[in-house]
Coordinates of all heavy atoms in Angstrom, one line a residue:
S257 N 18.0 9.3 -7.2 CA 17.8 9.6 -5.7 C 16.6 10.5 -5.6 O 16.5 11.5 -6.3 CB 19.0 10.3 -5.2 OG 18.7 11.1 -4.1
L258 N 15.7 10.2 -4.6 CA 14.6 11.0 -4.3 C 15.0 12.4 -3.9 O 14.3 13.4 -4.3 CB 13.7 10.3 -3.2 CG 12.3 10.7 -3.1 CD1 11.5 10.6 -4.4 CD2 11.6 10.0 -1.9
D259 N 16.1 12.5 -3.2 CA 16.6 13.8 -2.7 C 17.3 14.6 -3.8 O 17.2 15.9 -3.8 CB 17.5 13.7 -1.6 CG 16.8 13.6 -0.2 OD1 15.6 13.8 -0.2 OD2 17.4 13.2 0.8
R260 N 17.9 13.9 -4.8 CA 18.6 14.7 -5.9 C 17.7 14.9 -7.1 O 17.4 16.0 -7.5 CB 19.9 13.9 -6.2 CG 20.8 14.7 -7.2 CD 22.1 13.9 -7.4 NE 21.9 12.6 -7.9 CZ 22.2 11.5 -7.3 NH1 22.8 11.6 -6.1 NH2 21.9 10.3 -7.8
E261 N 17.3 13.8 -7.8 CA 16.4 14.0 -9.0 C 15.0 14.2 -8.7 O 14.2 14.7 -9.5 CB 16.6 12.8 -9.9 CG 17.9 12.7 -10.6 CD 19.1 12.2 -9.7 OE1 18.8 11.3 -8.8 OE2 20.2 12.6 -9.9
G262 N 14.5 13.7 -7.5 CA 13.1 13.9 -7.1 C 12.2 12.7 -7.4 O 11.0 12.8 -7.2
F263 N 12.8 11.6 -7.8 CA 12.1 10.4 -8.1 C 13.0 9.2 -8.0 O 14.2 9.3 -8.0 CB 11.4 10.4 -9.4 CG 12.4 10.4 -10.6 CD1 12.8 9.3 -11.2 CD2 12.8 11.7 -11.1 CE1 13.7 9.3 -12.3 CE2 13.7 11.7 -12.2 CZ 14.1 10.6 -12.7
A264 N 12.4 8.0 -7.8 CA 13.2 6.8 -7.7 C 12.3 5.6 -8.0 O 11.1 5.6 -7.7 CB 13.8 6.6 -6.3
V331 N 2.4 18.6 -17.7 CA 3.5 18.6 -16.8 C 3.1 19.4 -15.5 O 2.6 20.5 -15.6 CB 4.7 19.3 -17.4 CG1 5.9 19.3 -16.5 CG2 5.1 18.6 -18.7
H332 N 3.2 18.7 -14.3 CA 2.7 19.3 -13.1 C 3.5 18.8 -11.9 O 4.2 17.8 -12.0 CB 1.2 19.1 -12.9 CG 0.9 17.6 -12.7 ND1 1.0 16.6 -13.6 CD2 0.6 17.0 -11.5 CE1 0.7 15.5 -13.1 NE2 0.5 15.6 -11.8
V333 N 3.3 19.5 -10.8 CA 3.7 19.0 -9.5 C 2.5 19.1 -8.6 O 1.8 20.1 -8.6 CB 4.8 19.8 -8.9 CG1 5.3 19.2 -7.5 CG2 6.0 20.0 -9.8
D334 N 2.2 18.0 -7.8 CA 1.0 17.9 -7.1 C 0.8 19.0 -6.0 O -0.3 19.3 -5.6 CB 0.8 16.5 -6.4 CG 0.7 15.4 -7.5 OD1 1.2 15.6 -8.6 OD2 0.0 14.4 -7.1
Q335 N 1.9 19.5 -5.5 CA 1.8 20.4 -4.3 C 2.7 21.6 -4.6 O 3.5 21.6 -5.6 CB 2.3 19.8 -3.0 CG 1.6 18.5 -2.7 CD 0.1 18.6 -2.4 OE1 -0.4 19.7 -2.0 NE2 -0.7 17.6 -2.6
T336 N 2.6 22.7 -3.8 CA 3.4 23.9 -3.9 C 4.0 24.1 -2.5 O 3.7 23.4 -1.6 CB 2.6 25.1 -4.3 OG1 1.6 25.4 -3.3 CG2 1.8 24.9 -5.6
I337 N 4.8 25.2 -2.4 CA 5.3 25.6 -1.1 C 4.2 25.8 -0.1 O 4.2 25.3 1.1 CB 6.2 26.8 -1.2 CG1 7.6 26.5 -1.8 CG2 6.4 27.5 0.2 CD1 8.5 27.7 -2.0
A338 N 3.1 26.4 -0.5 CA 2.0 26.7 0.4 C 1.2 25.5 0.6 O 0.8 25.2 1.8 CB 1.1 27.8 -0.2
S339 N 0.8 24.8 -0.4 CA -0.1 23.6 -0.2 C 0.5 22.4 0.4 O -0.2 21.7 1.1 CB -0.8 23.2 -1.6 OG 0.2 22.7 -2.5
G340 N 1.8 22.3 0.3 CA 2.5 21.2 1.0 C 2.3 21.3 2.5 O 1.9 20.3 3.2
A341 N 2.6 22.5 3.0 CA 2.4 22.7 4.4 C 1.0 22.6 4.8 O 0.6 22.1 5.9 CB 3.1 24.0 4.8
N342 N 0.1 23.1 4.0 CA -1.3 23.1 4.3 C -1.9 21.7 4.3 O -2.9 21.5 5.0 CB -2.1 24.0 3.2 CG -2.0 25.5 3.5 OD1 -1.6 25.9 4.6 ND2 -2.2 26.3 2.5
R343 N -1.3 20.8 3.6 CA -1.8 19.4 3.7 C -1.6 18.9 5.2 O -2.5 18.1 5.7 CB -0.9 18.5 2.8 CG -1.4 18.6 1.3 CD -2.7 17.9 1.1 NE -3.1 17.9 -0.3 CZ -4.3 17.4 -0.7 NH1 -5.2 17.0 0.2 NH2 -4.6 17.4 -2.0
R359 N 11.1 18.2 9.4 CA 11.1 18.1 7.9 C 9.8 17.4 7.5 O 9.5 16.3 8.1 CB 12.3 17.4 7.4 CG 12.4 17.2 5.9 CD 13.5 16.4 5.5 NE 13.6 16.2 4.0 CZ 14.2 15.2 3.4 NH1 14.9 14.3 4.1 NH2 14.2 15.1 2.1
V360 N 9.1 17.9 6.5 CA 7.9 17.3 6.0 C 8.0 17.1 4.5 O 8.5 18.0 3.8 CB 6.7 18.2 6.3 CG1 5.4 17.5 5.7 CG2 6.5 18.5 7.7
Q361 N 7.7 15.9 4.0 CA 7.6 15.7 2.6 C 6.2 15.2 2.2 O 5.5 14.6 3.0 CB 8.6 14.6 2.2 CG 10.1 15.0 2.4 CD 11.0 13.9 1.9 OE1 11.4 13.8 0.8 NE2 11.3 13.0 2.8
V362 N 5.8 15.5 0.9 CA 4.7 14.8 0.3 C 5.3 13.9 -0.7 O 5.9 14.4 -1.7 CB 3.7 15.8 -0.2 CG1 2.5 15.0 -0.9 CG2 3.1 16.7 0.8
I363 N 5.1 12.6 -0.5 CA 5.6 11.6 -1.5 C 4.5 10.8 -2.0 O 3.7 10.3 -1.3 CB 6.7 10.7 -0.8 CG1 7.8 11.5 -0.1 CG2 7.2 9.7 -1.8 CD1 8.7 12.2 -1.1
N364 N 4.4 10.7 -3.4 CA 3.5 9.8 -4.0 C 4.2 8.4 -4.3 O 5.3 8.4 -4.8 CB 3.0 10.3 -5.3 CG 2.0 11.5 -5.1 OD1 1.8 11.9 -4.0 ND2 1.4 11.9 -6.2
A379 N 6.5 10.1 -17.2 CA 7.8 10.8 -17.4 C 8.1 11.7 -16.2 O 7.2 12.3 -15.7 CB 7.8 11.6 -18.7
M380 N 9.3 11.6 -15.7 CA 9.7 12.4 -14.6 C 10.9 13.4 -15.0 O 11.8 12.9 -15.7 CB 10.2 11.5 -13.4 CG 9.1 10.8 -12.7 SD 8.6 9.3 -13.7 CE 10.0 8.3 -13.8
A381 N 10.8 14.6 -14.6 CA 11.9 15.6 -14.8 C 13.0 15.4 -13.8 O 12.6 15.2 -12.6 CB 11.4 17.0 -14.8
D382 N 14.2 15.5 -14.2 CA 15.3 15.5 -13.2 C 15.3 16.8 -12.5 O 15.4 17.9 -13.1 CB 16.6 15.4 -14.0 CG 17.9 15.5 -13.2 OD1 17.8 15.9 -12.0 OD2 19.0 15.3 -13.7
G383 N 15.0 16.8 -11.2 CA 14.8 18.0 -10.4 C 16.0 18.9 -10.4 O 15.8 20.2 -10.2
T384 N 17.2 18.4 -10.7 CA 18.3 19.3 -10.7 C 18.4 20.2 -12.0 O 19.1 21.2 -12.1 CB 19.7 18.5 -10.7 OG1 19.8 17.7 -11.9 CG2 19.7 17.6 -9.5
T385 N 17.5 19.9 -13.0 CA 17.4 20.7 -14.2 C 16.2 21.7 -14.2 O 16.0 22.4 -15.2 CB 17.3 19.8 -15.4 OG1 16.0 19.1 -15.5 CG2 18.4 18.8 -15.5
V386 N 15.5 21.7 -13.1 CA 14.3 22.5 -13.0 C 14.6 23.8 -12.1 O 15.1 23.7 -11.0 CB 13.1 21.8 -12.3 CG1 11.9 22.7 -12.2 CG2 12.8 20.5 -13.1
E387 N 14.3 24.9 -12.7 CA 14.5 26.2 -12.0 C 13.3 26.6 -11.2 O 12.2 26.3 -11.7 CB 14.9 27.3 -13.0 CG 16.2 27.0 -13.8 CD 17.4 27.0 -12.9 OE1 17.4 27.6 -11.8 OE2 18.4 26.3 -13.3
P388 N 13.4 27.3 -10.1 CA 12.2 27.8 -9.3 C 11.3 28.5 -10.2 O 10.0 28.4 -10.0 CB 12.8 28.6 -8.2 CG 14.2 28.1 -8.0 CD 14.7 27.7 -9.4
E389 N 11.8 29.4 -11.1 CA 10.9 30.2 -12.0 C 10.1 29.4 -13.0 O 9.2 29.9 -13.7 CB 11.6 31.3 -12.6 CG 12.8 30.9 -13.4 CD 14.1 30.9 -12.6 OE1 14.1 30.7 -11.4 OE2 15.2 31.1 -13.3
D390 N 10.5 28.1 -13.2 CA 9.8 27.2 -14.1 C 8.4 26.8 -13.5 O 7.5 26.3 -14.2 CB 10.6 25.9 -14.4 CG 11.9 26.2 -15.1 OD1 12.0 27.3 -15.7 OD2 12.8 25.3 -15.0
L391 N 8.3 26.9 -12.2 CA 7.1 26.4 -11.5 C 6.1 27.5 -11.3 O 6.5 28.6 -10.7 CB 7.5 25.8 -10.1 CG 8.5 24.7 -10.2 CD1 8.9 24.2 -8.8 CD2 8.1 23.5 -11.1
V392 N 4.9 27.3 -11.7 CA 3.8 28.4 -11.7 C 2.7 27.9 -10.8 O 2.0 27.0 -11.1 CB 3.3 28.7 -13.1 CG1 2.2 29.8 -13.0 CG2 4.4 29.1 -14.0
A393 N 2.5 28.5 -9.6 CA 1.5 28.1 -8.7 C 0.1 28.3 -9.4 O -0.1 29.4 -10.0 CB 1.5 29.0 -7.4
S394 N -0.7 27.3 -9.3 CA -2.0 27.3 -10.0 C -3.1 26.8 -9.0 O -2.9 25.8 -8.3 CB -1.9 26.3 -11.2 OG -0.8 26.7 -12.0
E404 N -3.7 24.0 -4.4 CA -2.8 24.7 -5.2 C -1.7 23.6 -5.7 O -1.2 22.8 -4.9 CB -2.1 25.8 -4.5 CG -1.3 26.7 -5.3 CD -0.6 27.9 -4.5 OE1 0.2 27.6 -3.7 OE2 -1.0 29.0 -4.8
T405 N -1.5 23.6 -7.0 CA -0.5 22.8 -7.6 C 0.5 23.7 -8.4 O 0.2 24.9 -8.6 CB -1.1 21.7 -8.6 OG1 -1.7 22.4 -9.7 CG2 -2.1 20.9 -7.8
Y406 N 1.6 23.1 -8.9 CA 2.4 23.8 -9.8 C 2.2 23.3 -11.2 O 2.3 22.1 -11.5 CB 3.9 23.5 -9.5 CG 4.5 24.3 -8.3 CD1 5.2 23.7 -7.3 CD2 4.3 25.7 -8.3 CE1 5.7 24.5 -6.3 CE2 4.9 26.5 -7.3 CZ 5.6 25.9 -6.3 OH 6.1 26.6 -5.2
S407 N 1.9 24.3 -12.1 CA 2.0 24.1 -13.5 C 3.5 24.4 -13.9 O 4.2 25.0 -13.1 CB 1.1 25.0 -14.3 OG -0.3 24.8 -13.9
V408 N 3.9 23.9 -15.0 CA 5.4 24.0 -15.3 C 5.6 24.7 -16.7 O 5.0 24.3 -17.7 CB 6.0 22.7 -15.3 CG1 7.6 22.8 -15.6 CG2 5.8 22.0 -14.0
K409 N 6.4 25.7 -16.7 CA 6.8 26.4 -18.0 C 7.9 25.6 -18.7 O 8.8 25.1 -18.0 CB 7.2 27.9 -17.7 CG 6.1 28.8 -17.2 CD 6.6 30.2 -17.2 CE 7.7 30.5 -16.2 NZ 8.0 31.9 -16.0
H414 N 15.4 21.2 -19.2 CA 14.8 20.1 -18.5 C 15.2 18.7 -19.1 O 15.3 18.6 -20.3 CB 13.2 20.1 -18.6 CG 12.6 21.3 -17.8 ND1 11.3 21.7 -17.9 CD2 13.2 22.1 -16.8 CE1 11.1 22.7 -17.1 NE2 12.2 22.9 -16.4
R415 N 15.5 17.8 -18.2 CA 15.9 16.5 -18.7 C 14.9 15.5 -18.2 O 14.6 15.4 -17.0 CB 17.3 16.1 -18.2 CG 18.0 15.0 -18.8 CD 19.5 15.0 -18.6 NE 19.8 15.2 -17.2 CZ 21.1 15.4 -16.8 NH1 22.0 15.5 -17.7 NH2 21.3 15.5 -15.5
W416 N 14.3 14.6 -19.1 CA 13.2 13.8 -18.8 C 13.6 12.3 -18.8 O 14.4 11.9 -19.7 CB 12.0 14.0 -19.7 CG 11.4 15.3 -19.5 CD1 11.6 16.6 -20.1 CD2 10.3 15.6 -18.6 NE1 10.8 17.5 -19.6 CE2 10.0 17.0 -18.6 CE3 9.6 14.8 -17.7 CZ2 9.0 17.5 -17.9 CZ3 8.6 15.3 -16.9 CH2 8.3 16.7 -17.0
L429 N 8.6 6.3 -6.6 CA 8.5 7.3 -5.6 C 8.6 8.7 -6.3 O 9.6 8.9 -7.0 CB 9.5 7.2 -4.5 CG 9.5 5.8 -3.8 CD1 10.6 5.8 -2.7 CD2 8.2 5.6 -3.1
L430 N 7.6 9.6 -6.1 CA 7.6 10.9 -6.7 C 7.6 12.0 -5.6 O 6.7 11.9 -4.7 CB 6.4 11.1 -7.6 CG 6.2 10.0 -8.6 CD1 4.8 10.2 -9.3 CD2 7.3 10.0 -9.7
K431 N 8.6 12.9 -5.6 CA 8.6 13.9 -4.6 C 7.7 15.1 -5.1 O 7.9 15.7 -6.1 CB 10.0 14.4 -4.3 CG 10.0 15.4 -3.2 CD 11.4 16.0 -2.9 CE 12.3 14.9 -2.2 NZ 13.5 15.6 -1.7
C432 N 6.6 15.4 -4.3 CA 5.7 16.5 -4.6 C 5.9 17.7 -3.7 O 5.4 18.8 -4.1 CB 4.3 16.0 -4.4 SG 3.9 14.6 -5.6
Y433 N 6.7 17.5 -2.6 CA 6.9 18.7 -1.7 C 8.0 18.2 -0.7 O 8.0 17.1 -0.3 CB 5.7 19.1 -1.0 CG 5.9 20.0 0.2 CD1 6.1 21.4 0.0 CD2 6.0 19.6 1.5 CE1 6.3 22.3 1.0 CE2 6.2 20.5 2.6 CZ 6.4 21.8 2.3 OH 6.6 22.7 3.3
D434 N 8.9 19.2 -0.4 CA 9.9 18.9 0.6 C 10.1 20.2 1.3 O 10.4 21.3 0.7 CB 11.2 18.4 0.0 CG 12.1 17.8 1.1 OD1 12.0 18.2 2.3 OD2 12.9 16.9 0.7
S435 N 9.9 20.3 2.7 CA 10.1 21.5 3.4 C 11.6 21.8 3.6 O 12.0 23.0 3.9 CB 9.5 21.4 4.8 OG 10.1 20.4 5.6
A436 N 12.5 20.9 3.3 CA 14.0 21.1 3.5 C 14.4 22.1 2.4 O 14.1 22.0 1.3 CB 14.7 19.8 3.4
T437 N 15.3 23.0 2.9 CA 15.8 24.1 1.9 C 17.3 24.0 1.9 O 18.0 25.1 1.8 CB 15.3 25.5 2.4 OG1 15.7 25.7 3.8 CG2 13.8 25.6 2.3
D438 N 17.9 22.8 2.0 CA 19.3 22.7 2.0 C 20.0 22.3 0.7 O 21.1 21.8 0.7 CB 19.7 21.7 3.1 CG 19.0 20.3 2.9 OD1 18.3 20.2 1.9 OD2 19.2 19.4 3.7
G439 N 19.2 22.5 -0.4 CA 19.8 22.1 -1.7 C 19.2 20.9 -2.3 O 19.5 20.6 -3.5
R440 N 18.4 20.1 -1.6 CA 17.8 18.9 -2.2 C 16.7 19.4 -3.1 O 16.2 20.5 -3.0 CB 17.1 18.0 -1.1 CG 17.8 17.8 0.1 CD 17.0 17.1 1.1 NE 17.3 17.4 2.5 CZ 17.6 16.5 3.4 NH1 17.6 15.2 3.1 NH2 18.0 16.8 4.6
T441 N 16.3 18.5 -4.1 CA 15.2 18.8 -4.9 C 13.9 18.8 -4.0 O 13.7 17.9 -3.3 CB 15.1 17.7 -6.0 OG1 16.1 18.0 -7.0 CG2 13.7 17.8 -6.7
R442 N 13.1 19.8 -4.2 CA 11.9 20.0 -3.4 C 10.6 19.6 -4.1 O 9.6 19.2 -3.5 CB 11.8 21.4 -2.9 CG 13.0 21.9 -2.0 CD 12.8 23.3 -1.5 NE 11.7 23.3 -0.5 CZ 11.1 24.4 -0.1 NH1 11.5 25.6 -0.6 NH2 10.1 24.4 0.8
F443 N 10.7 19.7 -5.4 CA 9.5 19.5 -6.2 C 9.8 18.7 -7.5 O 10.8 19.1 -8.2 CB 8.8 20.8 -6.6 CG 8.4 21.7 -5.5 CD1 9.3 22.7 -5.1 CD2 7.3 21.4 -4.7 CE1 9.0 23.5 -4.0 CE2 7.0 22.2 -3.6 CZ 7.8 23.3 -3.3
G444 N 9.1 17.6 -7.8 CA 9.4 16.8 -9.0 C 8.3 16.9 -10.0 O 7.3 16.2 -9.9
P445 N 8.5 17.6 -11.1 CA 7.5 17.6 -12.2 C 7.4 16.3 -12.9 O 8.4 15.6 -13.0 CB 8.1 18.7 -13.2 CG 9.0 19.6 -12.3 CD 9.6 18.6 -11.3
H446 N 6.2 15.9 -13.2 CA 6.0 14.6 -13.9 C 4.7 14.8 -14.8 O 3.9 15.7 -14.6 CB 5.9 13.5 -12.9 CG 4.8 13.7 -11.9 ND1 5.1 14.4 -10.7 CD2 3.5 13.3 -11.8 CE1 4.0 14.4 -9.9 NE2 3.1 13.8 -10.6
T447 N 4.5 13.8 -15.7 CA 3.4 13.8 -16.5 C 3.3 12.4 -17.2 O 4.3 11.7 -17.5 CB 3.5 14.9 -17.6 OG1 2.3 14.8 -18.5 CG2 4.7 14.7 -18.5
L469 N 2.1 11.9 3.6 CA 2.9 12.9 4.3 C 4.0 12.1 5.0 O 3.7 11.1 5.7 CB 2.0 13.6 5.3 CG 0.9 14.6 4.8 CD1 -0.1 14.9 5.9 CD2 1.6 15.8 4.2

Side-chain angles (χ1 to χ4, degrees):
S257 154
L258 200 57
D259 275 346
R260 190 175 53 243
E261 288 79 31
F263 63 90
V331 180
H332 68 284
V333 184
D334 293 30
Q335 308 294 335
T336 66
I337 285 179
S339 67
N342 282 340
R343 281 290 185 184
R359 182 186 176 200
V360 181
Q361 297 182 86
V362 178
I363 303 294
N364 286 8
M380 290 75 62
D382 175 354
T384 67
T385 68
V386 178
E387 300 294 336
E389 54 268 27
D390 299 337
L391 304 176
V392 180
S394 307
E404 192 176 66
T405 64
Y406 280 131
S407 303
V408 183
K409 294 190 293 187
H414 290 167
R415 195 160 51 189
W416 289 92
L429 300 180
L430 306 172
K431 185 181 288 193
C432 299
Y433 168 80
D434 195 334
S435 66
T437 56
D438 56 2
R440 319 173 207 234
T441 285
R442 300 183 67 193
F443 303 99
H446 54 277
T447 179
L469 292 165

